Amino acid sequence: MLDRRTVLAGFASLAAPGIAAAEDANSPIAHGLLAQNPLAQAFESAPHDLPDVTLYGPKGPRSISTILGRTILMPLWAEWCGPCLEELPDFARLQKKYGNNKFAIVPVLSGPRKRVSPEVLAKIFAYLHADVFEPLMEDNLGNQLMAGLARRRANEMEIPCNVLIAPDGHVVAREFGMKSNESLAPPAGVSAAQTKSAMIAQAEAGNSLSLWGKQPGDEFAQAMANGFLTG
């Protein structure tokens, strides 16, 4: 039987798409209570329309519209993206603390490179202390969300891509993780494999590795839970 470290190492890869700086344009949400919040400042404009995809989870397929009706922060992630796995424990803590009838964090797997199932996603979430989340993915291993919302300049897609959706279902903004004080590049003399192993160990331990796990993340989530987008 494979242990959790083997499962995570088999999925995550440090060869994730590059992480670029935010666009030059002002953030659509860095105002009011979030004017000085570095995460809010990192959000940028995004395509207004949310792709009308079918999600698949433990209860079978359903329309993406079923998760709407409140402010949604939707981390788009993939099983091959190491930085995505690093952010999941931080998002899980925020969901437990601030998720309410006005705000929820709903990760969705998009663009997988392996054939995965909700059961496998549930195990990954459990290993990362993120089992507060329902294991959801695009139906039929689709990538429409990634292609539609994570595409930036030069026609390249980047993840983690964290999409902010208003209660009426329109996309407000997006933020490209991961923001932390540590470089994703392996230090001199440290192999990529060693770096990946260390990343997995920290994520598995539930350590906060991104700004979402620090004060800016709390400020952001609390503002959304208090109705920031609806006034």
Side-chain angles (χ1 to χ4, degrees):
M1 180 179 295
L2 297 179
D3 62 16
R4 63 183 63 189
R5 186 67 53 80
T6 302
V7 172
L8 292 175
F11 281 117
S13 169
L14 290 179
I19 297 174
E23 300 286 350
D24 293 335
N26 292 332
S27 165
I29 58 171
H31 56 80
L33 292 174
L34 296 179
Q36 302 303 317
N37 183 282
L39 279 169
Q41 292 172 347
F43 273 81
E44 61 182 58
S45 297
H48 184 80
D49 295 328
L50 182 67
D52 185 18
V53 302
T54 298
L55 302 180
Y56 188 78
K59 299 178 181 179
R62 68 178 192 266
S63 169
I64 195 170
S65 64
T66 61
I67 69 169
L68 304 178
R70 51 183 166 172
T71 297
I72 299 292
L73 180 63
M74 180 185 292
L76 298 180
W77 70 288
E79 84 291 345
W80 45 265
C81 170
C84 298
L85 300 185
E86 292 186 20
E87 288 189 338
L88 284 173
D90 296 338
F91 284 130
R93 186 184 62 82
L94 293 175
Q95 171 62 21
K96 291 176 183 177
K97 190 172 182 179
Y98 298 107
N100 61 15
N101 61 352
K102 294 182 179 179
F103 173 65
I105 301 174
V106 184
V108 176
L109 183 138
S110 180
R113 294 178 182 171
K114 298 177 182 288
R115 181 162 291 278
V116 294
S117 65
E119 291 74 23
V120 170
L121 296 190
K123 289 182 180 179
I124 294 175
F125 284 167
Y127 295 161
L128 296 175
H129 308 276
D131 50 358
V132 65
F133 297 129
E134 181 181 4
L136 292 175
M137 66 182 78
E138 279 194 54
D139 198 19
N140 293 320
L141 305 179
N143 71 342
Q144 291 184 59
L145 290 171
M146 185 187 295
L149 297 172
R151 195 181 301 277
R152 301 188 82 191
R153 290 175 297 188
N155 213 32
E156 294 181 354
M157 288 183 288
E158 297 179 23
I159 55 173
C161 177
N162 304 310
V163 181
L164 187 64
I165 306 168
D168 65 5
H170 81 266
V171 176
V172 176
R174 62 187 175 183
E175 180 261 346
F176 291 90
M178 158 188 173
K179 310 287 190 300
S180 75
N181 295 325
E182 301 179 28
S183 171
L184 292 176
V190 178
S191 69
Q194 289 173 316
T195 302
K196 181 169 71 172
S197 178
M199 175 274 292
I200 292 171
Q202 291 188 63
E204 183 185 10
N207 293 335
S208 295
L209 299 173
S210 73
L211 277 184
W212 290 107
K214 299 177 173 62
Q215 183 178 358
D218 276 88
E219 292 175 349
F220 185 96
Q222 185 175 34
M224 296 302 157
N226 289 337
F228 182 86
L229 292 185
T230 57

